[in-house]
Amino acid sequence: MIFVLTGAGLSAESGLGTFRDAGGLWSRYDLEEVATPRGFAANPHLVHDFYNARRANAAGAAPNAAHHALARLQAAREVMLVTQNVDDLLERAGARDVLHMHGRLGGALCADCGARWEAPLVMSPDDPCPECGAAATRPDVVWFGEMPTGLDEIDAGLARATLFVALGTSGTVYPAAGFVEMARAAGTPTLELNLEPSGGRFDDGRYGPASEIVPGWVD
Ligand code: BV8
């Protein structure tokens, strides 16, 4: 089983911003204000503006050759696709069972009762929860300080993977950034696919734009 962890670099060539590259999202927004529970409590409208802008950007974007290559890989081999990305470009490229460990732009969550539903393109904190009616609507994404999704499934996948691939991620955010070390500890070969080396410890690496190196690796 091939375990693939993807990050913002997978969707960069589809026009979705990365976080830490020059001009990235964290250079234009204060992470504390838009990607933490505290930031949401302080200014829910600013947080919704941030995610509404990204949701509109993602809706207007198209999967690139790397997304399609991963969908082809999944059709040919046993692949566990774990993404830190909140866009749905992998699904739109035909990938299945994508594990969004940091949540999804397309998801809405009630901060009061925990109900989840499919998000409209534009969300507001005043949208009433369809379950409890509270005006406590938030994006269903994992903010800093919150528990990522699917960690048990991820641990089980890392334990039985025959190859670990990190694709388009800077290896900055934990626990995702620690997966390569978990793979190494399990004796699993590790491969990095990125624009440039991220500094993580990988047995092998292929470097260049994802839309070129991912099809090259898959096909
Ligand atoms: C948690 C929300 C407890 C959704 C995001 C000190 C040490 C260890 C941990 C911590 C610490 N201090 C604080 C922490 C915890 C914290 C953390 O890691 N902080 C960091 C900053 C130090 N982590 C958390 O809070 C996490 N929760 O720890 O809970 C816990 C822990 C374990 C078990 C149980 C409980 C929650 C983290 C989730 C935060 N939410 N986003 C959203 O708005 O999108 S993080 C955000 O960063 C996104 O999710 C993003 O996916 C993620 C990682 O970024 P990357 O995807 O790697 O993107 P980046 O821009 O950084 O890099 C782009 C890469 O692409 C580069 O390598 C570049 O070269 C490459 N690239 C660019 N163009 C291309 C390309 N590659 C190929 N082709 C191209 N064309």
Side-chain angles (χ1 to χ4, degrees):
M1 180 265 276
I2 301 172
F3 187 112
V4 181
L5 170 70
T6 69
L10 171 63
S11 298
E13 291 163 87
S14 295
L16 303 195
T18 62
F19 291 85
R20 295 168 186 85
D21 290 324
L25 286 164
W26 296 150
S27 68
R28 288 177 279 133
Y29 289 88
D30 178 347
L31 174 160
E32 284 296 327
E33 286 184 350
V34 295
T36 62
R38 255 186 330 279
F40 181 70
N43 191 340
H45 286 279
L46 172 69
V47 172
H48 275 289
D49 289 350
F50 174 62
Y51 284 97
N52 287 338
R54 290 177 60 198
R55 197 171 297 111
N57 195 13
N64 63 55
H67 296 101
H68 289 292
L70 289 178
R72 283 199 303 279
L73 178 70
Q74 221 184 15
R77 305 282 299 275
E78 188 192 0
V79 178
M80 183 167 180
L81 262 180
V82 177
T83 188
Q84 300 170 90
N85 299 341
V86 293
D87 65 64
D88 64 348
L89 294 180
L90 274 168
E91 290 87 345
R92 283 161 53 192
R96 292 172 287 91
D97 306 324
V98 179
L99 198 166
H100 287 268
M101 66 178 291
H102 290 165
R104 291 182 312 116
L105 276 176
L109 171 66
C110 176
D112 270 13
C113 77
R116 286 185 155 85
W117 64 96
E118 282 307 293
L121 199 56
V122 181
M123 282 171 69
S124 153
D126 306 324
D127 295 345
C129 165
E131 296 280 313
C132 72
T137 296
R138 57 165 283 183
D140 190 9
V141 297
V142 177
W143 285 326
F144 287 95
E146 295 188 319
M147 179 83 82
T149 306
L151 291 180
D152 292 343
E153 208 178 330
I154 288 168
D155 286 353
L158 286 170
R160 68 184 194 86
T162 51
L163 176 64
F164 174 84
V165 181
L167 196 177
T169 180
S170 62
T172 314
V173 175
Y174 288 81
F179 293 169
V180 61
E181 290 307 324
M182 291 169 70
R184 292 177 63 87
T188 307
T190 58
L191 168 68
E192 179 173 47
L193 301 177
N194 201 313
L195 204 53
E196 60 209 9
S198 67
R201 290 194 314 146
F202 292 89
D203 301 313
D204 193 5
R206 293 190 185 199
Y207 298 101
S211 63
E212 290 169 22
I213 59 167
V214 179
W217 170 64
V218 166
D219 297 333

